[in-house]
Amino acid sequence: MKKILTTLFVISCGLAYGQSSLKPKINAAADAVEKKVITWRRDFHEHPELGNMEVRTAKIVADHLRSLGMEVQEKVAVTGVVGILKGGKPGPVVALRADMDCLPVTERGDLAFKSTVSTVYNGQKTGLMHACGHDSHVAILMGVAEVLSSMKNDIAGTVKFIFQPAEEGVYDPTLLKNGKSGAELMVMEGVMENPKVDAVFGLHISSVTEVGTIGYRSGATMAAVDEFSIKVNGKQTHGANPWGGIDPIVTASQIVMGLQTIISRSVNITENPAIVTVGSIHGGIRQNIISESLDMIGTIRTFGTEQRDLVHKRINDVAVNIAESAGAKADVIIKTGYPVTYNDPALTEKMIGSLENLAGKSNVQVQPVQTGAEDFSFFQQKVPGFFFFLGGKPKNVKVGFPHHTPDFYIDESGFTLGVKSLSALTVDYMEMNAPKTTDNEASAVGKKGKKN
């Protein structure tokens, strides 16, 4: 019995530092699937699809999961795919997520698998591009599915593979379902239930951090995102006689500058950053006509409920009062978007050892909060979750090309670390949370192991 307890103690200590007994199998299987992952990624990159239009991508994913013997659900939240892998032993349910959609960006690089797909978006012709790395997320998770399926009998629990549409939003409003899309809609349709998920993990490739590294943060990690629209109503007149009307363009210019004082004068940025950005202004039709009205839209990023409420109130106050002072009228609409991406502190602390064991402790670093946003946060609202960043910048490049730009580029040599990371987090979590052995069961094990 003493020997058994000693063995259990050693195993538990090993697990605390990311030493699952399945690690050698995971590493070997991930290395073996590397070429497939790269091939999948290149195919998805060459054939990008916008939110809730990922029909081709979803079919490839579903076919792959079925070939691995999984139970597969399609058309979840319009085009989402969910695969369920039931391990050979009892244990918790772990969800792994990858987003599938692209962006309305015209690719500028000269890759052999460069996207040449185009569309009309907001009345303008544009190319389509995986300019945020979602193609790599899908390919990596397909690799994880293959790795974990190969050791199905050794897995102590169930893995739910979530391939999510529309992380970047839906560009065709007719494709919304009940006014929702993406992770929020998947949660509404029950993706975290049947079987009920205990923890969720996800990653995001990063073009600005070096390949072979992993970044993370406990607690608030990425910002809550909201959008605002402001319509400024003035009075039309001849451009040569501005005193005869009320100029919405001059008024809007003052509003834009006023909005910047919200961050510099109303928000305590020593506690959390915040962002208010006007992204688009449209007004007027001719050089010598002062228009009747003007429209502007923008984005808001915050990291706390009180801060979020404050910024929303100040946007309304600034716009309305500046417009009134000019004799104009401002109508403000604020739409709430994704909540803060929040890494459960207890879960984060437990799982960091898994990543350090794979990448090396010096290559796993705490990052500052990110003012980008992620609808992975909707999954984290239901169960404890951990979201981390996988380095994708080539080692010989000083500064990587930013996400959402025509020159966005990812070093594919980092994909295997992504496959290993998600696989290791899954099995480590399962073994840490395996069903406890009762006293009677432990006694039975002891008697069985005792020599007569």
Side-chain angles (χ1 to χ4, degrees), residues 93-172:
V93 179
V94 173
L96 304 175
R97 174 270 204 168
D99 39 10
M100 302 189 294
D101 55 327
C102 73
L103 287 159
V105 174
T106 303
E107 188 162 7
R108 193 155 49 203
D110 57 357
L111 297 174
F113 49 94
K114 173 182 178 179
S115 168
T116 58
V117 182
S118 63
T119 191
V120 175
Y121 171 65
N122 273 353
Q124 302 180 51
K125 187 174 181 179
T126 179
L128 296 183
M129 178 187 177
H130 272 293
C132 200
H134 295 187
D135 51 345
S136 59
H137 302 168
V138 177
I140 286 171
L141 192 55
M142 288 172 68
V144 174
E146 186 155 328
V147 167
L148 294 182
S149 293
S150 71
M151 54 194 74
K152 174 181 177 179
N153 293 337
D154 296 321
I155 292 177
T158 297
V159 190
K160 185 173 282 191
F161 294 90
I162 300 174
F163 291 85
Q164 178 210 309
E167 191 280 326
E168 301 286 359
V170 174
Y171 301 106
D172 181 352

Side-chain angles (χ1 to χ4, degrees), residues 55-269:
V55 177
R56 180 183 184 275
T57 304
K59 184 180 187 308
I60 293 171
V61 169
D63 289 347
H64 177 63
L65 298 182
R66 283 200 181 91
S67 74
L68 299 174
M70 289 191 202
E71 173 189 332
V72 178
Q73 302 168 15
E74 296 183 79
K75 297 183 180 179
V76 181
V78 184
T79 51
V81 179
V82 177
I84 298 176
L85 175 66
K86 295 179 181 178
K89 304 174 184 178
V93 179
V94 173
L96 304 175
R97 174 270 204 168
D99 39 10
M100 302 189 294
D101 55 327
C102 73
L103 287 159
V105 174
T106 303
E107 188 162 7
R108 193 155 49 203
D110 57 357
L111 297 174
F113 49 94
K114 173 182 178 179
S115 168
T116 58
V117 182
S118 63
T119 191
V120 175
Y121 171 65
N122 273 353
Q124 302 180 51
K125 187 174 181 179
T126 179
L128 296 183
M129 178 187 177
H130 272 293
C132 200
H134 295 187
D135 51 345
S136 59
H137 302 168
V138 177
I140 286 171
L141 192 55
M142 288 172 68
V144 174
E146 186 155 328
V147 167
L148 294 182
S149 293
S150 71
M151 54 194 74
K152 174 181 177 179
N153 293 337
D154 296 321
I155 292 177
T158 297
V159 190
K160 185 173 282 191
F161 294 90
I162 300 174
F163 291 85
Q164 178 210 309
E167 191 280 326
E168 301 286 359
V170 174
Y171 301 106
D172 181 352
T174 64
L175 295 176
L176 287 169
K177 189 174 180 180
N178 299 321
K180 307 294 183 182
S181 65
E184 185 177 17
L185 182 56
M186 291 196 101
V187 170
M188 288 176 62
E189 293 190 356
V191 75
M192 304 300 279
E193 307 293 334
N194 301 318
K196 189 178 186 306
V197 173
D198 295 295
V200 60
F201 299 108
L203 62 75
H204 203 300
I205 198 77
S206 171
S207 66
V208 295
T209 55
E210 191 171 283
V211 68
T213 64
I214 290 174
Y216 77 97
R217 186 175 187 82
S218 182
T221 300
M222 299 183 76
V225 58
D226 304 312
E227 61 182 70
F228 66 89
S229 61
I230 301 173
K231 187 176 186 66
V232 181
N233 295 294
K235 182 180 178 182
Q236 189 162 322
T237 188
H238 197 297
N241 301 296
W243 54 85
I246 299 172
D247 193 335
I249 293 177
V250 171
T251 303
S253 300
Q254 294 172 332
I255 290 174
V256 170
M257 298 308 297
L259 292 177
Q260 303 314 302
T261 66
I262 296 173
I263 307 306
S264 65
R265 291 296 178 268
S266 298
V267 173
N268 184 349
I269 57 174

Side-chain angles (χ1 to χ4, degrees), residues 196-357:
K196 189 178 186 306
V197 173
D198 295 295
V200 60
F201 299 108
L203 62 75
H204 203 300
I205 198 77
S206 171
S207 66
V208 295
T209 55
E210 191 171 283
V211 68
T213 64
I214 290 174
Y216 77 97
R217 186 175 187 82
S218 182
T221 300
M222 299 183 76
V225 58
D226 304 312
E227 61 182 70
F228 66 89
S229 61
I230 301 173
K231 187 176 186 66
V232 181
N233 295 294
K235 182 180 178 182
Q236 189 162 322
T237 188
H238 197 297
N241 301 296
W243 54 85
I246 299 172
D247 193 335
I249 293 177
V250 171
T251 303
S253 300
Q254 294 172 332
I255 290 174
V256 170
M257 298 308 297
L259 292 177
Q260 303 314 302
T261 66
I262 296 173
I263 307 306
S264 65
R265 291 296 178 268
S266 298
V267 173
N268 184 349
I269 57 174
T270 63
E271 293 181 355
N272 279 314
I275 302 290
V276 176
T277 294
V278 177
S280 176
I281 296 179
H282 291 279
I285 194 171
R286 184 178 165 86
Q287 82 278 3
N288 63 348
I289 298 175
I290 291 176
S291 64
E292 185 82 6
S293 63
L294 175 146
D295 295 288
M296 68 175 81
I297 56 176
T299 189
I300 308 163
R301 308 296 166 110
T302 53
F303 285 90
T305 302
E306 291 183 6
Q307 184 191 60
R308 197 178 198 180
D309 292 342
L310 169 66
V311 172
H312 287 193
K313 182 178 185 302
R314 292 294 294 131
I315 288 173
N316 186 80
D317 290 347
V318 166
V320 169
N321 290 323
I322 287 178
E324 186 178 355
S325 72
K329 184 176 183 297
D331 296 318
V332 181
I333 297 175
I334 297 177
K335 294 182 180 179
T336 302
Y338 305 162
V340 171
T341 304
Y342 186 86
N343 283 338
D344 181 82
L347 179 64
T348 302
E349 184 179 0
K350 288 180 180 179
M351 305 315 301
I352 287 304
S354 299
L355 300 181
E356 291 177 342
N357 178 255

